[in-house]
Amino acid sequence: MRNEDALATLMRQALEGDKAAYRDFLARAAVDIRAMARRRLPASAQADLEDVVQETLLAIHAKRHTWRPDRPIGPWLAAIARYKAIDAIRRRGARPAEDIADYEHLIAAPEVETVSAHDVQTVLDALPPGQRSVVSAITLEGRSIRETATGFGMSEVAVRVALHRGLAAIRSRMGRTT
Amino acid sequence: MNTDDLIASLADDAAPALPRPARLLGLALVAAVAATAVVFALLLGSVRAEVTNLNGDARLALKFAVTLALVGSAFVLLATLAHPERPRPRAFAILGVPLALLLGGVLLEVAALPAAEIGPALVGSNSLACLVYVPLLGALPLAVLLTALRRAAPTRPALAGLAAGLLAGGIAATAYGTYCPDDSPLFVATWYGLSVGLLALAGAAAGQRILRW
């Protein structure tokens, strides 16, 4: 297998301390490991796939001194992947997970609440100018209380109060109109 | 943490921090032998005079051939099981060497001894001492070997522990053999066999618990 030769070469370089080769090795190995774990994990455990991949990579890292450079690397990788997958399945067995698909009918469809940009602008415009600038700086532009305070030359407490009042006003207005 | 970040953080220390398993186990073997020698000196003190001259005594020579063959074969098997790859069935066949030596000795002994002497040869002069001292001598080497195994990557923890128990048993049996006055292959097969079996079981049970990774 050509891929296996490439992996072995990279791992040989990695064991000499070549970080770039090691990163390349781990990235390629992760692809193989993911494929192996996907086949091995039962359908109900597929959600943990990436966890198993990461546990396997950690194990490969911790046990990298146990690969013999004169041996093929495929069986070594596969043995560790198998060991960690079985380990993961066994641990899941101790706390069995339910497949959420069985309970689909019990779970309400998520309610998506959206407000149009126009509505946002309307309620903001209804606020007193001080509250309006504070609320839009924090909620729409994502600035922090401190940044907003320095930006507007206000104390942080004053920003908090304006934000609180502005949001309360918006809540009551939105509550009335919808 | 996503997998790419994990890979990036792992890649920073590429060079391994530990020696290869064969080297680890070689060092552990040296330490195990040294530990056994110390325990032997404290517990039993002296070796039998005949031990320095094996030429005239075929039974004594065979006893050490069996125990040393057990040490060698158990070490080879242990070194295999310390790696994650699935062992080939052939890997276990090496244990046939000490077994064949022992079985050959038993057959020769049964053929050589008159029927009336077979029973006393099997019971020996102190079978209980063998059952006590071999496990006592083997406990520390077993602990040393299991400690080294934790730094390797056995994917069959119980089997690896069993091999460690056999190796510790071989070391302990060799040591006790220099003290024990019973050399008949019948005695060795029975009482040494039982003692080494105890250590192997202890190794398997301990391996099952502490060799997971």
Side-chain angles (χ1 to χ4, degrees), chain A residues 15-111:
Chain A
L15 293 177
E16 302 285 319
D18 184 337
K19 293 177 185 179
Y22 193 38
R23 178 192 285 248
D24 198 3
F25 167 82
L26 289 171
R28 288 175 190 227
V31 176
D32 293 349
I33 292 161
R34 195 171 291 116
M36 284 189 271
R38 187 175 286 128
R39 280 197 304 272
R40 198 161 274 131
L41 292 179
S44 63
Q46 290 290 333
D48 293 341
L49 180 65
E50 213 51 30
D51 283 349
V52 175
V53 171
Q54 294 192 4
E55 281 165 24
T56 307
L57 286 170
L58 280 169
I60 283 170
H61 179 69
K63 302 297 184 184
R64 62 200 185 283
H65 62 291
T66 67
W67 177 57
R68 289 159 287 189
D70 56 335
R71 299 286 179 101
I73 201 158
W76 180 80
L77 274 177
I80 294 179
R82 177 173 184 274
Y83 184 71
K84 295 314 286 187
I86 289 172
D87 189 43
I89 293 168
R90 189 181 290 138
R91 267 185 291 121
R92 287 183 58 86
R95 44 169 187 87
E98 296 284 352
D99 190 343
I100 200 169
D102 296 342
Y103 300 94
E104 216 165 15
H105 59 287
L106 296 176
I107 302 167
E111 288 172 25

Side-chain angles (χ1 to χ4, degrees), chain B residues 8 28 50 56 68 77-78 86 106 115 118 123 128 153 161 165 170 173 181 186 197 202:
Chain B
E50 304 93 310
L68 289 173
L77 178 61
L78 184 62
R86 185 189 296 272
V106 166
I118 287 181
V123 174
L128 187 63
L186 290 167

Side-chain angles (χ1 to χ4, degrees), chain B residues 94-121:
Chain B
I94 196 165
L95 292 176
V97 176
L99 269 179
L101 282 171
L102 185 58
L103 193 65
V106 166
L107 291 176
L108 286 173
E109 182 79 337
V110 170
L113 285 183
E117 286 178 33
I118 287 181

Side-chain angles (χ1 to χ4, degrees), chain B residues 9 18 27 73-74 76 79 98 127-130 161 163 179 201-202 204 211:
Chain B
S9 67
L18 288 166
L27 293 171
S73 59
V76 172
S127 53
L128 187 63
C130 181
Y179 172 89
L201 281 180
L211 292 182

Side-chain angles (χ1 to χ4, degrees), chain B residues 136-151:
Chain B
L136 271 181
L137 287 165
L140 200 50
L142 179 57
V144 170
L145 292 168
L146 289 173
T147 306
L149 264 186
R150 280 176 60 83
R151 284 156 182 78

